[in-house]
Amino acid sequence: MKNLSRWSIVFAVIGTAAFGCYFVNPKAFDFLIFGFGSLLLGLILSFGAMFKNEKGKTKFLAVAVFFLFGFFLVWNEPFQVIRLLTWMRN
């Protein structure tokens, strides 16, 4: 496991923790923004690890977590995705 794989896992864990904090306290929208940003950064680093052909299967973890939490967020609160994308646009 090389550096990109490690960093992608670190950002996936940080993003997961932020999403968990958001679901505990739904009025704190900042956790959702921080969690989505961390998961997105982990996704980018994971794709970088795939591009460099790093050994191991842990490089796929951040991609799986990103899509899993994205699906979970859309399933539970679909309007939060619109709110998040509007915030990112501005």
Side-chain angles (χ1 to χ4, degrees):
M1 188 164 61
K2 300 278 184 163
N3 285 336
L4 288 176
S5 296
R6 286 187 189 126
W7 281 109
S8 69
I9 291 171
V10 166
F11 282 112
V13 169
I14 290 170
T16 304
F19 265 107
C21 291
Y22 170 72
F23 284 113
V24 169
N25 186 9
K27 293 184 180 182
F29 184 65
D30 297 335
F31 286 124
L32 182 65
I33 295 169
F34 183 69
F36 182 75
S38 296
L39 286 176
L40 188 63
L41 187 60
L43 178 78
I44 292 169
L45 290 173
S46 182
F47 281 135
M50 289 178 207
F51 181 70
K52 285 184 143 185
N53 292 328
E54 291 185 3
K55 292 182 180 179
K57 294 186 180 184
T58 57
K59 58 188 169 191
F60 301 112
L61 180 69
V63 176
V65 169
F66 179 81
F67 287 112
L68 181 71
F69 275 103
F71 176 75
F72 185 70
L73 181 66
V74 169
W75 184 266
N76 285 328
E77 299 179 25
F79 293 111
Q80 289 296 342
V81 174
I82 296 169
R83 183 178 176 192
L84 181 67
L85 293 175
T86 304
W87 182 85
M88 287 175 56
R89 182 174 174 238
N90 293 329

